[in-house]
Amino acid sequence: MENLRSAMKTDVPHDDITGIDTAKTPLSVLLASVNPNDPPTPTHTMAIALGSNLGDRFANIETALRLIEHPRNLLVGIDDAAAVSVVNTSFMYETAPMYVTDQPRFANCACLIETNMEPRSLLKLLKSIETTVGRVPSIQNGPRAVDLDILLYDSEIIDSRAEDQRQTLDNLANELVVPHPCIAEREFVLRPLADMIPEFVHPVHMKTIRTLLGEVLRQPNDEFPMLKVTPFADYLKLHQLPGICPVPSMGKYWSMRCSNDRPTKVRMMGTLNATPDSFSDGSVNNTLSAALSYAVTSVRQNADIIDIGGYSTRPGAAFVSSKEECQRVVPIMQAIRSHEDQDVRSSLISIDTFRWEVAEAAVQAGANCINDVHSFTGPEYPLTQASAEHLLKMREMAHKLAVPVILMHSRGDAGSNKDYSQYKGGAQEGVRVELGEKVEAVVRGKGGVRRWFVIVDPGIGFSKTVEANCALLREASSITANTRGNPLAGYPQLIGTSRKSFLGAILERPDVDGTYRGRKTQPKEREWATATSVACAVQQGASVVRVHDVQHMRDVVAAASAIWSY
């Protein structure tokens, strides 16, 4: 039987990749070389389910996860050596209540922890956390600020009840039964477990988590469908408990269907470049008044989020210091957050940066999300020890802030490193492997970013040929497809094609019979070409499209969504 610890390892099968360039050091090796090992105290692996349907649901769960790692703050007389580390998390879900249906919808997820604590002590810790976060006595399966259940403890089978009391589930109060006796009937438990340990064999049912989930999904269900959600942090509203970092309010969130991993709504990201040299709109929005005007107009044109950047990523762009980058973007965020229009003031903002100092300053100024074109490893390519150090600093910052992060595939300079011939599946396979390696490093291990905060971006226009960009766009759904061994399976996907040079290259080509000779275009002349790529992104199931012209691309998204039956 596969144990819980080994089930945590989900390497990409070797037969899916051919000819990998072994001269490039894997990121995992680089990380091991720069990240000092913690003392090897944890000896057990445990799965915990978390749920909340009262108050600030997602903030309640984040608070509970932070408290789990501080057992000595909550339990009197506990061994000083007691250690608990959250090492993996599932996606976050919104679910209909089960058993008692007349109550609000739940936020549900699960995590894996490594610990040296015994099951009874862990149960006491979880009950103490529930009380600390605000759970009060209620009816069984009733509403609660937070609920934490032990699902698995290694591969052990534990039942603290007397043998003659084990024929019912009505006597579980203050008792410990592991595996949790209701795992096999609860989609809201099996889905999160399948995100992390799909091949783990349940020690009682002797079936994998993947198999158990499949059996539940084949049963008729007319209830509200489970939705995968991405909560957004609001650092203007904080929850503070002693001994842990402040947790931001998380009242806003986006959702996508679990049945086909398509969003309930394709979101629109407006692009605000506060730079003098961006490829499309340099010097257009690099004054505070112009930037604020773009933001206000975009919000009123129904942009779902505004992406603000202060450092151009175009090839050959001038170097900008972190201080200058902050000076470009922070005042814009402050102006948005103090705007007289409530819709503008409360709009979602992302900060487009690869620097942790800029990202943290922006979040503290009102940004809700971090958009990193280098997916936390910085601009160097091939990856180096400096890349690994950069990732650890970005990950530490993002973990502490508890904000969504958009991780994009790139290979250093956007105009270089376009050869993917070492991959059997070309650029698509290269993106899955290379971006997948970074995402795994960001999400897994102690101090990782919660899986539900990650959105992935295949990096169209960055280190890809025209043909590779077209192939990626045409097959974008395969990047996050729920196939075995795909490290990007299930993640929401952002696609950004707006006005990019590969569209200009296509427009410049003559057609096959020579009746059209092609034409050279400036970035602003590529809106019709952008529209076709946005429609394709919608058809491929993108959760977010990043655009410059919000109003017209909103029309494209609306029409394409109707055609593709969103």
Side-chain angles (χ1 to χ4, degrees):
M1 181 192 304
E2 184 178 33
N3 63 40
L4 191 52
R5 183 161 301 196
S6 64
M8 291 165 58
K9 301 175 181 178
T10 56
D11 296 330
V12 177
H14 292 297
D15 58 359
D16 285 352
I17 308 166
T18 59
I20 298 299
D21 188 352
T22 55
K24 297 174 182 175
T25 307
L27 180 58
S28 58
V29 175
L30 294 171
L31 286 168
S33 71
V34 301
N35 191 23
N37 292 324
D38 293 322
T41 51
T43 57
H44 303 286
T45 303
M46 173 178 168
I48 299 173
L50 301 96
S52 173
N53 74 335
L54 291 180
D56 197 336
R57 299 175 298 170
F58 308 117
N60 290 344
I61 288 173
E62 178 62 33
T63 300
L65 285 170
R66 296 189 182 205
L67 289 170
I68 285 174
E69 296 189 309
H70 295 85
R72 292 190 295 278
N73 292 356
L74 296 169
L75 299 181
V76 177
I78 192 172
D79 190 326
D80 287 344
V84 182
S85 297
V86 177
V87 295
N88 202 351
T89 47
S90 69
F91 291 111
M92 181 71 75
Y93 297 90
E94 185 176 45
T95 67
M98 195 172 183
Y99 311 120
V100 179
T101 57
D102 186 19
Q103 58 177 317
R105 292 172 185 165
F106 276 85
N108 287 108
C109 63
C111 71
L112 297 180
I113 68 169
E114 291 182 346
T115 183
N116 59 359
M117 295 176 65
E118 295 304 312
R120 272 293 192 177
S121 297
L122 284 164
L123 181 60
K124 291 180 182 178
L125 173 62
L126 299 189
K127 295 305 176 185
S128 178
I129 291 171
E130 289 179 346
T131 301
T132 301
V133 174
R135 181 170 179 174
V136 296
S138 177
I139 61 173
Q140 185 178 6
N141 300 312
R144 70 289 306 268
V146 74
D147 182 39
L148 294 94
D149 288 322
I150 298 174
L151 300 176
L152 302 165
Y153 186 88
D154 295 331
S155 293
E156 294 188 21
I157 299 175
I158 304 168
D159 195 334
S160 64
R161 299 171 297 172
E163 286 196 24
D164 62 352
Q165 301 295 314
R166 297 179 181 178
Q167 304 307 311
T168 178
L169 298 180
D170 296 329
N171 58 356
L172 296 179
N174 300 315
E175 300 289 352
L176 180 63
V177 180
V178 179
H180 192 286
C182 297
I183 285 178
E185 68 186 45
R186 295 179 174 179
E187 181 186 354
F188 66 84
V189 172
L190 289 169
R191 274 197 188 275
L193 286 177
D195 294 335
M196 303 181 292
I197 49 170
E199 306 309 324
F200 175 74
V201 177
H202 191 288
V204 174
H205 297 288
M206 300 304 296
K207 298 176 181 178
T208 66
I209 298 298
R210 187 192 302 275
T211 299
L212 291 172
L213 176 59
E215 291 176 353
V216 168
L217 294 180
R218 283 192 289 273
Q219 298 173 9
N221 183 8
D222 296 327
E223 300 293 331
F224 173 81
M226 283 185 68
L227 297 177
K228 193 177 293 181
V229 299
T230 303
F232 285 88
D234 181 357
Y235 260 81
L236 303 182
K237 303 173 185 176
L238 294 176
H239 303 270
Q240 179 68 73
L241 286 175
I244 62 171
C245 293
V247 174
S249 175
M250 300 182 192
K252 291 188 176 183
Y253 61 97
W254 293 347
S255 58
M256 62 188 292
R257 300 178 182 89
C258 296
S259 58
N260 57 8
D261 278 337
R262 284 180 173 268
T264 55
K265 169 187 174 182
V266 181
R267 308 287 172 169
M268 183 75 64
M269 173 182 277
T271 305
L272 201 174
N273 292 311
T275 57
D277 56 349
S278 290
F279 82 96
S280 173
D281 52 358
S283 298
V284 174
N285 295 319
N286 65 331
T287 65
L288 181 57
S289 60
L292 184 59
S293 176
Y294 176 87
V296 170
T297 299
S298 295
V299 170
R300 291 173 179 170
Q301 292 172 346
N302 297 307
D304 297 286
I305 189 168
I306 307 299
D307 190 42
I308 302 176
Y311 192 164
S312 174
T313 55
R314 70 171 179 82
F319 173 81
V320 177
S321 68
S322 296
K323 181 179 179 180
E324 183 177 354
E325 190 178 354
C326 283
Q327 290 172 342
R328 290 178 176 181
V329 299
V330 167
I332 300 171
M333 294 172 184
Q334 293 171 332
I336 292 172
R337 290 292 173 241
S338 60
H339 196 272
E340 60 184 12
D341 186 326
Q342 171 61 22
D343 290 340
V344 174
R345 191 165 63 248
S346 62
S347 61
L348 291 177
I349 301 171
S350 65
I351 173 62
D352 183 356
T353 187
F354 61 88
R355 290 166 162 162
W356 62 89
E357 314 99 304
V358 178
E360 183 160 15
V363 170
Q364 297 295 348
N368 311 97
C369 174
I370 299 166
N371 182 11
D372 185 352
V373 298
H374 299 301
S375 51
F376 281 17
T377 55
E380 290 195 27
Y381 183 82
L383 302 182
T384 64
Q385 282 196 354
S387 306
E389 291 169 352
H390 195 101
L391 183 143
L392 292 174
K393 290 178 179 176
M394 287 292 291
R395 188 177 75 159
E396 179 184 13
M397 175 271 305
H399 174 88
K400 179 183 73 172
L401 294 176
V403 296
V405 296
I406 300 166
L407 303 178
M408 193 191 84
H409 177 268
S410 61
R411 288 176 158 190
D413 180 79
S416 307
N417 307 310
K418 300 181 179 182
D419 183 7
Y420 294 86
S421 60
Q422 70 267 41
Y423 295 103
K424 181 173 65 176
Q428 294 102 307
E429 187 66 30
V431 169
R432 280 194 295 269
V433 172
E434 295 173 9
L435 181 57
E437 182 185 32
K438 294 183 181 183
V439 169
E440 292 282 84
V442 169
V443 168
R444 291 175 178 268
K446 182 178 180 180
V449 174
R450 314 301 184 205
R451 186 183 301 262
W452 56 79
F453 282 137
V454 175
I455 298 170
V456 299
D457 178 345
I460 290 175
F462 285 76
S463 297
K464 284 100 180 171
T465 63
V466 172
E467 289 71 25
N469 284 314
C470 290
L472 272 174
L473 188 56
R474 188 167 54 245
E475 303 292 338
S477 61
S478 70
I479 301 298
T480 54
N482 278 303
T483 54
R484 295 193 185 195
N486 181 9
L488 300 181
Y491 283 98
Q493 186 171 189
L494 179 149
I495 291 181
T497 59
S498 185
R499 302 178 179 178
K500 287 187 174 178
S501 61
F502 85 98
L503 296 174
I506 292 171
L507 296 177
E508 196 170 346
R509 292 175 175 175
D511 59 18
V512 292
D513 61 7
T515 56
Y516 174 71
R517 297 182 180 180
R519 69 184 183 98
K520 289 186 178 182
T521 56
Q522 296 300 311
K524 290 183 179 180
E525 299 176 286
R526 299 170 190 158
E527 289 302 325
W528 289 106
T530 296
T532 63
S533 62
V534 167
C536 183
V538 172
Q539 184 269 337
Q540 285 293 302
S543 291
V544 194
V545 290
R546 185 177 186 270
V547 302
H548 295 85
D549 182 351
V550 171
Q551 184 174 38
H552 293 117
M553 293 308 111
R554 171 61 71 191
D555 291 347
V556 173
V557 167
S561 295
I563 292 168
W564 296 105
S565 301
Y566 275 92

